[in-house]
């Protein structure tokens, strides 16, 4: 029997490779955001992913689109994904201690700020111009940037002056004209932050469980939050008071008379006119009229809804299945398109109509407004 030569065996290298492989398989993209396109090029060029390893990673999708085999821009691209197409980030932004849950751009053009939030309870802001003007190293690694500023969620005083843990920030929304950032956090509260001073200017209390999502309704000086308690709430940003409680889950039943197993409000989205609200609650999507606070329709799905947004008079939704569903404003399903992540946590829209879906496995799937797959890739995290 012939044995191998173990004298040069690299035990540490082997351990590292196993850990990296497992981390790659379990990496999750919780949110993606298209970077502002430089003029005069209107097409999407860079997409930023907030990942479960704490990284906030910009990727060049334009290079992937140009190199992606045309024969795989169909449903066959899923098997291709399993084999290769691992993407290295353009720059390394070690954002958070713990998962990064959301990423947004504050402002337009190269002067925009790149915002992120995560499990460590911080909101970080980077200068997008500084990132774009940096020189990428030859190996594509080791480029770290310090944030322009960061915000930390308040701690609450308990008995004998003890402070509570810093609550995680699960989602953020922005009001650029008002100079504010809104945060949905794990202590059942939402917070308003002044960008110029970095101070918390308002605290919104009323939910009985932690918050999943938040959306700004800037024209009415309101925010809308969704919580694990099964309700959505509309808040007045001048007083900090809740002006309306929405109960999208109250009529849900499972079987005969049993309460539905999925009661949380996972996502909220406001259309461009700020008159319609899309609300994902458990395994249903509902549309609400904001002027009247009436539920217009509710659509039951087989799997929990995890993100939704408006595309003009249509709604795009993703959830715990590898499908992107497009609804008409009247609740009719227009299309269902297979996407790469087996469980999708994020759907993002570029002004040109290009759509990005991110989710489990560190996968990002980019497709045209007509559903044609442009490219898809595994995000390589900071640990790899």
């Amino acid at each position: 029997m012939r044995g191998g030569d173990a004298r040069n065996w690299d035990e540490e290298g082997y351990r590292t490779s196993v850990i990296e492989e497992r981390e790659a398989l379990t990496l999750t993209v919780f949110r993606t955001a298209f970077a502002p396109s430089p003029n005069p090029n209107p097409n999407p060029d860079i997409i930023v992913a907030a990942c479960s390893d704490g990284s906030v990673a910009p990727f060049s999708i334009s290079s992937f689109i140009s190199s992606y085999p045309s024969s795989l821009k169909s449903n066959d691209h899923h098997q291709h994904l399993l084999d290769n197409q691992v993407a290295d980030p353009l720059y390394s932004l070690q954002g958070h201690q713990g998962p990064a849950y959301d990423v947004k751009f504050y402002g337009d053009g190269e002067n925009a700020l790149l915002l992120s939030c995560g499990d460590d309870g911080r909101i970080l802001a980077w200068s997008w111009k500084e990132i774009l003007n940096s020189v990428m190293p030859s190996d594509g690694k080791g480029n770290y940037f310090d944030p322009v500023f960061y915000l930390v969620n308040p701690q609450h005083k308990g008995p004998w002056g003890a402070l509570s843990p810093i609550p995680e920030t699960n989602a953020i929304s922005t009001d650029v004209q008002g100079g504010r950032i809104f945060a949905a956090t794990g202590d059942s509260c939402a917070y308003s932050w002044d960008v110029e001073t970095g101070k918390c200017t308002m605290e919104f209390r009323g939910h009985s469980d932690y918050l999943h999502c938040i959306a700004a309704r800037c024209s009415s000086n309101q925010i809308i939050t969704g919580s694990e308690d099964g309700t959505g709430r509309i808040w007045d940003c001048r007083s900090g008071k809740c002006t309306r409680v929405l109960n999208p889950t109250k009529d849900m039943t499972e079987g005969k008379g049993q309460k539905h197993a999925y009661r949380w409000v996972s996502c909220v989205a406001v259309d461009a006119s700020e008159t319609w609200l899309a609300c994902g609650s458990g395994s249903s999507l509902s549309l609400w009229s904001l002027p009247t606070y009436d539920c217009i329709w509710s659509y039951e799905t087989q799997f929990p809804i995890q993100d939704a947004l408006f595309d003009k008079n249509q709604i795009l939704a993703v959830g715990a299945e590898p499908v992107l569903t497009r609804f008409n404003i009247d609740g009719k399903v227009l299309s269902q398109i297979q996407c790469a992540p087996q469980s999708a946590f994020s759907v993002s829209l570029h002004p040109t109509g290009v759509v990005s879906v991110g989710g489990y496995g560190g996968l990002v799937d980019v497709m045209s407004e007509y559903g044609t797959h442009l490219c898809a890739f595994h995000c390589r995290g900071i640990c790899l």
Side-chain angles (χ1 to χ4, degrees), residues 170-171 184 207 209-214 224-233 245-250 252 262-269 277-286 288 304-307:
N170 295 315
H207 282 289
D209 213 330
Y210 62 87
L211 274 58
H212 286 285
C213 51
I214 190 166
I224 304 170
T225 55
S227 169
E228 182 73 8
D229 64 16
T231 67
R233 288 178 179 254
V245 178
L246 307 178
N247 290 283
T249 66
K250 71 174 182 178
M252 290 183 181
Y262 310 117
R263 293 192 62 251
W264 70 88
V265 176
S266 55
C267 58
V268 290
L277 169 70
C279 183
S281 46
S283 52
S284 77
L285 181 72
S286 55
W288 298 73
I305 296 291
Q306 295 177 156
D307 197 21

Side-chain angles (χ1 to χ4, degrees), residues 105-136:
F105 279 92
Y106 180 90
D108 298 317
E110 64 176 13
N111 292 321
L113 292 175
L114 173 61
L115 305 176
S116 69
C117 67
D119 197 60
D120 56 6
R122 299 192 303 167
I123 299 174
L124 303 179
W126 287 278
S127 167
W128 186 239
K129 183 176 183 180
E130 179 185 348
I131 294 173
L132 290 177
N133 291 340
S134 66
V135 178
M136 185 172 64

Side-chain angles (χ1 to χ4, degrees), residues 38-58:
N39 292 324
N41 177 22
N43 295 317
D45 182 40
I46 296 175
I47 193 167
V48 183
C51 301
S52 58
D53 63 354
S55 64
V56 180

